[in-house]
Amino acid sequence: MTEKAAKKYVHAQWSSRWVFILAATGSAVGLGNVWKFPYTTGVYGGGAFVLIYLLCVAAIGIPIMMAEVMLGRRGRQSPINTMRKLARAEGASPLWGYLGWLGVLSGFLILSYYSVIAGWTLAYFVRTATGVFSVPVAGGMTPDGVQAIFAQFVSNPEALLAWHTLFMILTVVVVARGVQSGLEKAVRWLMPALFILLLVLVGYAMNTDGFAQAMEFLFRPDFSKITAPGVLSAMGQAFFSLSLGMGAIMIYGSYLPSNASIAGTSVTIAAADTLVALLAGIAIFPIVFANGLEPAAGPSLIFQTLPLAFGKMAGGDFFGALFFLLLVFAAWTSAISLIEPVVAWMAENHGLTRVMATAVAGTITWVLGIVTILSFNHWKFSFSFFGDVKENGMFDVLDILTANIMLPVGGIFIAIFAGWIMKRRHSEEEMAIRTPGGYDLWWFLVRFVSPVLMIFVLLHLLGLF
Ligand code: PHE
């Protein structure tokens, strides 16, 4: 593609600031909130993990999100080219382009397993819709029955592959057509609908006898349960859930109109994302405790708890199917943002058409997904990660590597670039924060607080602090 054509391509913009908020929220809200947040909270013992996660969102997530949007809008290209261009403009090394590369790699790896889990969600949509969980006994299924169904499901790689394939096709089709047109329409209705359905579930959960115990589990921190890998996971969860550290938010920022407020939109997105995660936790843990289930069940947690609730609820088949369907949509809008930086870069630099670029990126991710599929059956193995036992082999390796290491490392470099490399007047001009002291606060956070915290957490894990 010629430079001029590339310019035209990336200069496409969201039709308003509101659409950017929807799209970025669509990226942020996904399996990370409804599937990953509850299960990692369960694994790391509840309240203390939740508190550290919230602190990470506030002290690291929001400043880094503002930085990413700001860099994206100033560069107006795919993350790799944006970083190269901005580094040139600041007289810094072209090596900063590698930050974009790190993001592209993270995007591939994350999407490869994300799509497999989204496939589980698709399968559970079909199962709930066809009444699988409400059939056997009046009053729904037993916990053992639901567990057996899940265990049987993941032991079948062909089935997992079929669902993964279907989800990848869905993703690739939207991305090939161009993110703006497809996404704008999808997020407008689906995000609010998912939110309302979560409230319905919370309403149900409040009436189970596990509610008080769940609130205590989630909101009374017990720091004796928290370990170094737990702190790392809480920080990784903040990055993963907010879609930070790999260029997804950066590229969405590149489509943001110049007059939109970066600070206001970032805070709105982070707040919405965090609210959805907390609601998911409040919906799921009462079901866990009311049925005597194991909070630390791992990635299977929501697939073993929610069907129980839907099995018992009036209209449960309907609500259950709708819930899993909306979760598929939420995962879909996130998956799109995972692959978009790669596709934009291939189209800008390699003269590929958007459709070709999407096909290539989609195929690579699809093949990588097989690693995750086999992690739950034939290749299953366990290992110890700084004293934590992980049971799902390569899936856990990928998860730790991407969410807990690559995204925070990307975040450290984004903070260093925005706070130390970029001239203050440039970031000040691009952010255009009107609230007095607002810019200074961001500058202080992104320069000192966020990078120091991130480096501290990573070194703490290695036992160096
Ligand atoms: N934030 C998404 C979720 O919570 C996942 C994601 C991570 C999307 C990184 C883009 C980039 O499900």
Side-chain angles (χ1 to χ4, degrees), residues 27-33 110 114 240-244 246 248 334 337-338 407:
S27 165
V29 174
L31 296 171
N33 309 61
I110 294 177
Y114 201 85
F240 186 88
S241 192
L242 295 169
S243 304
L244 296 177
M246 54 75 63
S334 302
S337 74
L338 278 162
L407 298 183

